[in-house]
Amino acid sequence: MNVSGRVALVTGGGQGIGKAISLKLASYGADVAVVDVNIEKAEETAAEIKRMGRRAMALKIDVVNAKETEEMAEKVFKEMEAIHILVNNAGITRDNLILRMKEEDWDSVIDVNLKGAFNCTKATVKYMTKMRWGRIVNIASVVGVIGNAGQSNYAASKAGLIGFTKSIAREFAGRNITCNAVAPGFIETAMTDALSEQVKADLLTKIPLGRLGGASDVATGVLFLASNASNYITGQVLNINGGMAM
Ligand SMILES: NC(=O)c1ccc[n+]([C@@H]2O[C@H](COP(=O)([O-])OP(=O)(O)OC[C@H]3O[C@@H](n4cnc5c(N)ncnc54)[C@H](O)[C@@H]3O)[C@@H](O)[C@H]2O)c1
């Protein structure tokens, strides 16, 4: 699962799963552009990557803003001379039961999780096309596969991302660009720290492997889909969920 000489762009790479993905790709040889709205966090991740002896840059970008994502891709290509791997990881939750969900909570989740992936894919795939090699990995969720009460906006965004993944896989297969999704179950990050102990205890009863996942478990799946080891895999959803959905 070597990614030496590849340039990766990871959105939401400042913390959590995105940070773990950035560090994992770097430790297997990639140079990484770390993109986040939180520039301090992105810089921390980039500094760790540089200490590993790889090239890294940090960019303050809101993935919802098409102009910013265009500029992002231009800047990364200019400085790193390539974009081989895109990981659409930036994501948010604004949970509520639908009768209490505000319109802005619906819109912001669809904007960041789904439109963000559209913007970043559109901005970067033209550079992959030039090189006739590319890997796009979208971070979906088990919730996009099986649904979850109180997360209709989030589930819709992640199910949408799975449909998006399959369409992009078909559009670019002829250019040697693969597009796959990783659907994590419940992973220990700031997003799940927000859950109550009771909710976490209930969750554990539904996970056959008996624990929440770690960000590194997800990062290993992304590394596989970003490397030559997965050359003949496109349009697929890799479920990393401890068996909670089979
Ligand atoms: N934690 C889980 O259990 C879990 C499970 C399934 C899927 N996921 C998905 O994994 C991804 C990462 O989740 P996490 O738990 O690490 O979340 P997190 O909240 O810890 O990190 C998300 C990162 O994305 C950045 N971000 C948010 N909005 C952005 C925007 N508009 N533009 C650029 N960057 C933005 C944040 O600043 C943050 O650094 C998300 O897509 C999430 O939906 C997480």
Side-chain angles (χ1 to χ4, degrees), residues 11-19 35-38 41 61-64 88-93 112-113 139-142 154 158 161 182-192:
T11 69
Q15 67 175 42
I17 293 171
K19 180 172 186 176
V35 171
D36 209 295
V37 272
N38 186 332
K41 294 265 185 194
I61 299 288
D62 179 355
V63 295
V64 179
N88 283 311
N89 163 82
I92 59 167
T93 50
V112 176
N113 300 5
I139 308 303
S141 166
V142 65
Y154 184 76
K158 296 300 189 178
L161 199 51
V182 166
F186 287 87
I187 308 298
E188 280 183 86
T189 66
M191 204 176 256
T192 46

Side-chain angles (χ1 to χ4, degrees), residues 8 31 39-40 44 49 56 77 91 99 102 106 114 120 144 152 163 165 181 184 191 193 242:
D31 297 326
I39 187 64
E40 289 81 19
E44 279 171 30
I49 292 169
F77 190 77
L99 293 178
K102 296 192 185 100
W106 175 271
L114 194 51
C120 294
S152 58
T165 300
M191 204 176 256
D193 281 350

Side-chain angles (χ1 to χ4, degrees), residues 118-130:
F118 161 74
N119 283 341
C120 294
T121 302
K122 191 175 173 193
T124 55
V125 79
K126 56 187 176 225
Y127 297 104
M128 295 177 191
T129 303
K130 272 190 200 169

Side-chain angles (χ1 to χ4, degrees), residues 121 136 138 162-181 233-236:
T121 302
I136 301 166
N138 296 320
I162 290 172
F164 177 73
T165 300
K166 295 177 183 179
S167 304
I168 298 303
R170 288 184 189 278
E171 281 188 32
F172 289 96
R175 310 285 184 119
N176 198 25
I177 296 168
T178 68
C179 182
N180 292 286
I233 300 175
T234 196
Q236 305 302 312

